[in-house]
Amino acid sequence: MLKLKPNCECCNRDLPPESREAVMCSFECTFCRTCAETLLHGACPNCGGELVRRPIRPAAKLARFPASTERVYKPEGCGRVA
Ligand SMILES: [Zn+2]
Ligand SMILES: [Zn+2]
């Protein structure tokens, strides 16, 4: 099951499961669209893979299959100073 991470790894912005601003790579590294476009140029800084929009999990399924609450924040990987 896809891990819906709660924030952007680059800017720590909240990305709730219903956000259409969330993008992710095949390893579920998660970023906001702004960072993906301006800092990362569409490629994951961790694995080099493609970043695509994260699909929205239907709200009715979130009760049984909740989003992850474990924040991952690695600004140093995004070309930012921590
Ligand atoms: Zn971001
Ligand atoms: Zn990745």
Side-chain angles (χ1 to χ4, degrees):
M1 186 173 75
L2 209 61
K3 206 170 183 180
L4 304 176
K5 293 182 181 171
N7 68 308
C8 171
E9 280 191 24
C10 286
C11 68
N12 206 22
R13 177 179 152 187
D14 286 339
L15 294 169
E18 71 278 10
S19 174
R20 294 188 172 269
E21 296 293 303
V23 299
M24 68 193 309
C25 78
S26 70
F27 294 101
E28 304 171 329
C29 309
T30 301
F31 306 93
C32 71
R33 193 162 66 181
T34 306
C35 288
E37 287 173 2
T38 61
L39 291 175
L40 308 172
H41 307 291
C44 174
N46 302 319
C47 69
E50 190 184 3
L51 293 173
V52 297
R53 191 177 73 80
R54 186 174 71 184
I56 307 295
R57 182 167 301 166
K61 301 288 180 199
L62 280 169
R64 249 184 93 194
F65 305 101
S68 169
T69 55
E70 193 187 316
R71 298 181 84 86
V72 179
Y73 181 43
K74 291 188 264 181
E76 66 279 5
C78 307
R80 289 192 165 197
V81 181

